[in-house]
Amino acid sequence: MMNALNRIWGLVKKEFLQLGRDKLLLAFVLLAPLLELTLMGSLTGEGVQNLPLAVVDLDRSQASRELITRLDQTDELFIKAYGDSVAQAQEWMQAGQVAVIVVVPPGYGEALTDPQQSAEVQVVADGSNQVVSSAAIGTTENVAAEIVHDLTARHGVAGGGVVELRFVARFNAALDDRPNAITMMLALIVYQVTLVIAAQSLTRERELGTMEQLRVTPLGRLELMAGKTIPTLLVGLVNCLLMTGVIVLWFDVPMRGSLLLLLLLTIPFILAQIGWGTLISLISRTQQQAMLFVFALAMLEIACSGFLVPAGDLSGVMQALSCVSSIRHYMTIVRGVTLRGAGLGVLWQPALSLSGIACAVVTLAWLRLRLGLDADSLRQRLQVAWHVHQRRRRMRRVERRAKTARRHGVQKPRPTREPAYVDVRVEDQ
Amino acid sequence: MSIRRLFSILVKEYRHILREPRTLWMVFLSPAFVLIALSTVFASGSGRINLVLWDQDHTPLSRQFATTLSSDNDFSVGRASGYEEVETLLVEQRIDAALIIPPGFADTVQSGDSASVQVILDGVDTLVAGQTTGSLLGHAADFGLALSRQLSLPPLPLQVRSQSAYLPSTAERESMIPGLIPIVFSLPVMAAALALARERETGSLESLIATPVRGLEYLGGKLIAYVTAALVGLLPVWLVATLLFGVPFRGNPLLLVVLAADFLLASVGMALFVGNVAHSQQTTTVIALFIFFVPGFFLAGLIDPIDTTDLPGTAVSYALPSTHFVTICRALFLKGASLAEMWQPALALLVLSIAWVGLGALTFKKRMRQ
């Protein structure tokens, strides 16, 4: 036991030495996460802002000017141009210069003050980007609702909608996008760093030929895996801790739950990535392949994570896949701990799923390492089995023929027997 | 610069790509497969919004409101009574929002005033919150309209008639797919970065230095090999987008190929730069993921449009080739834009491709002398 620990410790030391030697890698593993998080955290999370708007004012009344000013004053829109006709504004949209067109029809001002009539404003949004178009339409509707509200107050005209909804957002009162985006980034960065380190470390040993040296040391397979796992786990945890510090102290994301719980539940998340990484490194022959597998897997995970569409909206297949996506469960945990202040009593479900995934993937990776089930040896085994099968069949056919020949009393020359060895061609690497 | 030597490097690179089935698959076909995976996510939103309703009014009208809400397929409505219950449900993430109908709801409506219903949203996932808000507002407007007809109230003084150009507002998937095309091409692009780092790490670059092949020829061969390989992969991607997911393609196919080549040139140039700077393949992978993966989703204007008022951020966004290609793909597929209508992103791509390839070539020369 002591010896095993010693051997693992040796490997861990070696891994850290290697990491420390490559200054650029060290910088990208420890500093780049913080830098990227800070940069992107300050960039995203504002939501949709400053969409260019073209106004076609065919009414030119005081009321229409008031509407236009109000539209310009919103965070989401700013007036880029005034058009004379709808066609002209549409040309601008085609060229991508404006994202929204607001058309105020003639007679707008009169209809607005006439209680019997209802004024109408037309909004055309660029549907080639649905985020933009829905934000633009929503903003215009809000401005219209404000105007109606003011009118009711000023003139006592009935209206203002029969049922009004008053929204109160819990946990994130301003409905700020930033906590949402930045916790997602934290998870993604921890994910990519740990997955890459795990996936490349074994492939690298294999590609550079140092795996063979490791094989002749007394290091067992399990010890090898443990020695490779510990540094990655530590790097991931340090990353997570540093980035949590940044999002709480710098970006004012509240930390309502326990930091210890968050770190504790980060462990199965990282272990799952190490499992995936080890699996990838056992499948791929070169680091190039490993990287492509990493990227493909990362894309799948991000698709299922609820980042592009709400997780509840996924289609059937994706819904099933998203249950085994570690990033999705981890997102629930991160947001639960930081924003909701949830404890383990509430988060037991994602925590259990995450641990389950981690156990399954790590076991799979270990089995793969244990049985040496990489693609080449699998192919060789299959080839051997196929040849053996073929040989048995031929033998049986020969025996059958010999039997019938004996029964009919026909003397036939004895067929030559197949050679007894199995011919397996091993492809050169 | 000799064409013959460049060509021999090109042939060597192609042999690298073609001899391994896994690399072959990854370089040519993986963009199409990743696009399928990312796009199926946008399948028709079947997910329901989970609500609880707390009716404090207990009148026929409030019950009518509850019934119309329950009969709507977008919502799955439960019952609650008390703020504590609502709070627990929210923390446990069992509901997306809670609606509270205040006492006196029916009286207010019947007197002609607007009655308010309180909605407590789960604000954590703003994507879900936005969806919930939109659906509830739409529902309240419909209910109000039906009610005002029933009570013969005067019409609203101002109405907004909205219209979505190029695509109907329900076609979320179709609007998203062109924007995803640049990011799925990160796979072959990153393969180029690793191809360069690999030769340095395994030492085969040193044998190449001993041959008459010059740095530029070597780099050019690699660049052309990976750009053309990725361009071949554009066809399956285009087929997946138009045939499988029914995204309209209204532009000029030739223009798409030319601009895609320009985009790939810029991206592969960037990748070669990364491959030059990094000492090992592991470092290259880490850097490449930092540059292509997270920014590809967050900075390229894929979800939120780029806010041009923030200067340093805009500069970083615009230095990424995929930012411009997202704009181009959307314009070409959905708007059928001509080159004159999108000269800005096209020009930006051209400048970027020259800059990144140049940077790649410059850093490479330096490393050869060491």
Side-chain angles (χ1 to χ4, degrees), chain B residues 155-187:
Chain B
L156 265 182
L158 177 58
Q159 278 171 352
V160 175
R161 196 149 52 91
S162 56
Q163 189 187 338
S164 169
Y166 308 114
L167 274 181
S169 56
T170 49
E172 198 195 357
R173 180 159 75 184
E174 284 79 354
S175 90
M176 212 57 197
I177 289 177
L180 289 172
I181 289 179
I183 202 163
V184 301
F185 275 104
S186 320
L187 284 141

Side-chain angles (χ1 to χ4, degrees), chain A residues 124-329:
Chain A
V124 184
D126 186 346
S128 69
N129 187 342
Q130 300 271 311
V131 179
V132 167
S133 65
S134 60
I137 291 170
T139 310
T140 326
E141 276 170 356
N142 283 346
V143 168
E146 269 173 40
I147 291 176
V148 168
H149 192 264
D150 286 3
L151 269 183
T152 0
R154 217 185 291 162
H155 301 293
V157 186
V162 179
V163 176
E164 203 180 346
L165 296 182
R166 296 237 165 109
F167 289 94
V168 183
R170 278 291 288 126
F171 313 119
N172 179 12
L175 276 182
D176 186 2
D177 270 333
R178 182 167 289 155
N180 199 33
I182 208 161
T183 45
M184 185 77 204
M185 273 179 236
L186 174 123
L188 277 182
I189 292 174
V190 172
Y191 176 83
Q192 69 179 25
V193 169
T194 50
L195 185 62
V196 169
I197 295 183
Q200 299 291 48
S201 69
L202 273 182
T203 325
R204 177 186 185 151
E205 306 265 9
R206 178 123 37 100
E207 200 177 12
L208 298 182
T210 45
M211 190 65 161
E212 288 172 19
Q213 292 171 11
L214 278 178
R215 280 269 165 91
V216 296
T217 59
L219 209 63
R221 288 203 173 94
L222 206 58
E223 290 157 19
L224 177 69
M225 231 170 113
K228 287 275 177 189
T229 302
I230 293 167
T232 319
L233 188 64
L234 282 179
V235 167
L237 280 177
V238 167
N239 256 324
C240 178
L241 189 65
L242 288 178
M243 285 195 288
T244 313
V246 169
I247 68 171
V248 172
L249 299 177
W250 184 266
F251 290 108
D252 292 330
V253 172
M255 182 76 201
R256 298 191 176 116
S258 122
L259 179 65
L260 196 68
L261 181 67
L262 181 64
L263 285 180
L264 212 63
L265 291 178
T266 308
I267 295 175
F269 176 64
I270 297 174
L271 281 181
Q273 300 345 312
I274 293 173
W276 278 117
T278 315
L279 262 183
I280 286 175
S281 69
L282 292 175
I283 299 169
S284 27
R285 215 176 288 172
T286 62
Q287 293 187 58
Q288 195 183 30
Q289 284 171 6
M291 186 271 286
L292 291 171
F293 275 123
V294 164
F295 208 83
L297 183 73
M299 289 284 193
L300 265 179
E301 288 252 9
I302 207 173
C304 300
S305 64
F307 160 66
L308 292 172
V309 276
D313 270 9
L314 296 173
S315 61
V317 187
M318 282 310 203
Q319 191 83 53
L321 271 179
S322 83
C323 290
V324 294
S325 149
S326 54
I327 227 172
R328 182 191 161 186
H329 299 297

Side-chain angles (χ1 to χ4, degrees), chain B residues 152-232:
Chain B
S152 62
L153 297 170
L156 265 182
L158 177 58
Q159 278 171 352
V160 175
R161 196 149 52 91
S162 56
Q163 189 187 338
S164 169
Y166 308 114
L167 274 181
S169 56
T170 49
E172 198 195 357
R173 180 159 75 184
E174 284 79 354
S175 90
M176 212 57 197
I177 289 177
L180 289 172
I181 289 179
I183 202 163
V184 301
F185 275 104
S186 320
L187 284 141
V189 166
M190 284 165 69
L194 279 227
L196 196 66
R198 175 191 184 162
E199 297 225 55
R200 187 165 292 128
E201 197 174 30
T202 54
S204 58
L205 187 67
E206 283 177 26
S207 3
L208 271 171
I209 292 173
T211 64
V213 172
R214 294 208 188 117
L216 270 185
E217 292 155 7
Y218 172 76
L219 219 58
K222 273 214 167 10
L223 193 72
I224 295 171
Y226 277 92
V227 168
T228 48
L231 266 184
V232 174

Side-chain angles (χ1 to χ4, degrees), chain A residues 43 164 168 170 177 283 340, chain B residues 22 87 115 121-122 126 310:
Chain A
L43 282 183
E164 203 180 346
V168 183
R170 278 291 288 126
D177 270 333
I283 299 169
R340 292 197 176 88
Chain B
R22 273 165 282 191
E87 180 70 21
L121 275 177
D122 181 348
T126 39
D310 184 37

Side-chain angles (χ1 to χ4, degrees), chain B residues 234-252:
Chain B
L234 183 65
L235 184 69
V237 164
W238 186 79
L239 288 177
V240 163
T242 52
L243 294 183
L244 193 60
F245 293 110
V247 178
F249 185 78
R250 298 181 176 132
N252 182 351

Side-chain angles (χ1 to χ4, degrees), chain A residues 409-420:
Chain A
V410 186
Q411 288 293 316
K412 266 194 177 176
R414 271 178 82 91
T416 47
R417 291 197 115 194
E418 289 289 316

Side-chain angles (χ1 to χ4, degrees), chain A residues 69-135:
Chain A
T69 320
R70 275 177 189 250
L71 284 173
D72 199 19
Q73 278 163 355
T74 56
D75 287 339
E76 289 87 353
L77 301 173
F78 81 96
I79 295 176
K80 174 132 189 203
Y82 291 88
D84 295 325
S85 66
V86 181
Q88 188 190 18
Q90 270 167 347
E91 262 173 41
W92 290 336
M93 184 179 277
Q94 172 79 9
Q97 286 166 346
V98 299
V100 206
I101 304 169
V102 170
V103 185
V104 187
Y108 164 83
E110 284 169 29
L112 196 62
T113 40
D114 185 350
Q116 296 311 312
Q117 273 185 335
S118 165
E120 200 175 71
V121 176
Q122 200 189 351
V123 185
V124 184
D126 186 346
S128 69
N129 187 342
Q130 300 271 311
V131 179
V132 167
S133 65
S134 60

